[in-house]
Amino acid sequence: MELYVIRRPSAWANLSELEKAGAKSARIGNEEMPDRVRWIRSYVVHEADGRIGTFCIYEARDAESIREHARRVGMPGEEFYKVATTVVVRRDPAPSAAAAE
């Protein structure tokens, strides 16, 4: 499998919608497509229009597996890029207590 970054701009109105989509995404990936896609992590962002978007890191067999997973979940899945390499300067910081509230 190859590593991909998937951009899902302004896909959700709020974090509650994102949580529901995330649960469905994990279930479909783990139960229906485990040999084709693996969700690694997502970075959730506030978009300029007030909606929620994500940058997701996935392992996938191929581009069609990413598209098929997105179709089954009902979320955007056309803007993605195969990762050439990874450069880690520092690990992701732990969330602060204030951010967790």
Side-chain angles (χ1 to χ4, degrees), residues 51-99:
R51 294 178 60 85
I52 301 294
T54 58
F55 291 86
C56 302
I57 310 300
Y58 273 72
E59 284 183 322
R61 185 169 68 191
D62 52 28
E64 184 50 37
S65 295
I66 292 171
R67 290 185 188 100
E68 176 64 23
H69 177 261
R71 275 193 296 272
R72 290 185 193 190
V73 175
M75 63 184 175
E78 289 300 319
E79 186 179 348
F80 58 87
Y81 309 88
K82 190 183 291 188
V83 174
T85 191
T86 302
V87 177
V88 178
V89 176
R90 292 179 183 87
R91 293 188 341 215
D92 288 345
S96 68

Side-chain angles (χ1 to χ4, degrees), residues 24-54:
K24 185 174 182 181
S25 176
R27 182 184 56 76
I28 288 172
N30 293 340
E31 296 175 11
E32 298 178 18
M33 303 179 72
D35 60 332
R36 294 180 61 195
V37 295
R38 247 183 87 204
W39 182 16
I40 306 300
R41 73 168 46 97
S42 293
Y43 295 97
V44 179
V45 297
H46 293 285
E47 300 284 358
D49 62 2
R51 294 178 60 85
I52 301 294
T54 58

